[in-house]
Amino acid sequence: HDMHEDHPGEWPLIRIERDYNRIVRNYVRAVSKPLSKDFKTSEEHDKAIFERVRHGGLKAMTIKCIDRLHNMLTMGGSHDKVVRKVNQTITYVLPMSVECDTLTQELMDATSEQSRKFRLSSSVYR
């Protein structure tokens, strides 16, 4: 899904379906972010991202949990980006991980580590 998000011209969903299959295409779409320009606020965008994942079903939610754990373990970027990812993880991904029984403890540990590493206080959490 990162290739589709980062290089949509080279990796459109039609190519993913052609090169792999419709099932893979559907999962890639489910875990890929909708365009942020289509939303008034970042909160609306976040909600839409994770509604799309949930609509993709249990496997899409599992894929998103795995992807987010990887993101949390390799986090870089600005303080604002880290705060947003930590907040998304707490608000959306952790509940999903409990629901699909996937990587909950690992996500909690990684989120806690990012919070310590970037010195985020509890006031940054929604």
Side-chain angles (χ1 to χ4, degrees):
H1 84 97
D2 287 332
M3 291 300 291
H4 170 64
E5 284 181 354
D6 297 343
H7 308 283
E10 293 177 54
W11 285 96
L13 292 173
I14 191 91
R15 177 182 177 184
I16 293 166
E17 183 172 343
R18 183 191 69 228
D19 290 359
Y20 299 97
N21 60 48
R22 178 176 275 175
I23 294 168
V24 172
R25 175 215 175 272
N26 289 341
Y27 288 133
V28 168
R29 184 186 183 285
V31 299
S32 295
K33 294 180 273 193
L35 297 175
S36 60
K37 70 178 181 68
D38 295 335
F39 301 91
K40 292 179 183 176
T41 67
S42 61
E43 290 78 17
E44 288 177 6
H45 186 230
D46 287 351
K47 187 174 179 182
I49 291 167
F50 295 100
E51 283 177 358
R52 179 184 276 190
V53 174
R54 284 190 171 282
H55 185 72
L58 191 61
K59 287 184 181 179
M61 293 188 320
T62 299
I63 292 165
K64 184 52 97 175
C65 290
I66 294 165
D67 180 57
R68 180 50 60 99
L69 179 59
H70 176 258
N71 294 154
M72 295 301 286
L73 294 173
T74 60
M75 183 78 68
S78 71
H79 184 267
D80 290 345
K81 178 182 176 183
V82 174
V83 168
R84 183 166 185 203
K85 290 289 185 183
V86 165
N87 282 333
Q88 285 178 341
T89 304
I90 292 166
T91 304
Y92 300 104
V93 182
L94 279 168
M96 253 191 259
S97 75
V98 171
E99 188 174 333
C100 61
D101 194 26
T102 302
L103 301 172
T104 303
Q105 187 62 54
E106 292 85 350
L107 282 161
M108 289 191 315
D109 292 346
T111 301
S112 179
E113 177 61 27
Q114 288 303 325
S115 296
R116 278 193 301 275
K117 182 177 171 184
F118 284 85
R119 294 185 176 97
L120 304 181
S121 70
S122 59
S123 65
V124 301
Y125 306 129
R126 288 186 220 158

